[in-house]
Amino acid sequence: MPEDPEPTGDERELFLRWLVYLRESLLTRLDDLDEDQARWTPDGKLIQLLGIVNHLAHVGRRWTDGVYLGGAFSRSEEEVRVPVGRTIAEVVADYRAAAANTEAVVRAAPSTNDLCGSDRYPGIDLRWVLIHLVEETARHA
């Protein structure tokens, strides 16, 4: 398991540190699993572990590129189902790329008070988006 994030007085950095901690905590669950184990779903009642990682990559992009930056976005239940031909390594690489994108967007923002560009979420600022990303990642981790 990763170490708890170091404290900082920089709110933006604190959010990002917690996201790194939670993401890495989630990814440790894939350690030593083979492709079948990463896709196992007990009695069809839970999302596959690999599906959670895939879903969270979509969540990160949806909230940073879509809601915050005002780009097009949608949500689909298909994002929790990883196609058979897609490997653990591919899903993890995509998750890390989405995380890097989120960090770049957040660091480039003028402030966490900056309002989102999506008309679907009036009054929501970057701080709210970051809290949501921490909550969503923590819930699944």
Side-chain angles (χ1 to χ4, degrees):
M1 293 293 291
E3 296 291 321
D4 284 351
E6 291 290 322
T8 178
D10 181 334
E11 178 186 58
R12 179 188 329 235
E13 187 61 31
L14 187 60
F15 283 126
L16 292 174
R17 288 178 186 184
W18 274 102
L19 280 170
V20 167
Y21 169 79
L22 291 167
R23 288 175 181 135
E24 293 303 315
S25 296
L26 175 65
L27 290 176
T28 63
R29 306 302 192 263
L30 292 171
D31 289 348
D32 302 320
L33 296 183
D34 63 30
E35 297 291 333
D36 290 334
Q37 291 169 324
R39 285 176 169 76
W40 178 69
T41 305
D43 298 328
K45 295 180 183 175
L46 300 175
I47 300 171
Q48 305 168 349
L49 183 55
L50 199 57
I52 291 171
V53 175
N54 192 60
H55 166 66
L56 288 173
H58 287 271
V59 166
R61 288 187 183 101
R62 184 167 40 254
W63 283 94
T64 55
D65 297 347
V67 176
Y68 175 66
L69 293 177
F73 66 94
S74 63
R75 185 178 189 288
S76 167
E77 290 302 315
E78 293 303 311
E79 66 192 45
V80 298
R81 292 179 188 81
V82 179
V84 175
R86 198 152 181 237
T87 67
I88 294 171
E90 290 169 338
V91 173
V92 169
D94 184 54
Y95 184 52
R96 290 190 187 284
N101 177 68
T102 295
E103 290 178 20
V105 168
V106 170
R107 287 196 171 102
S111 162
T112 56
N113 293 323
D114 199 30
L115 291 177
C116 294
S118 172
D119 294 338
R120 287 172 54 184
Y121 293 90
I124 300 290
D125 61 15
L126 181 58
R127 179 181 297 105
W128 192 98
V129 169
L130 287 166
I131 290 170
H132 178 69
L133 290 175
V134 166
E135 178 275 329
E136 179 91 9
T137 306
R139 181 168 17 116
H140 288 300

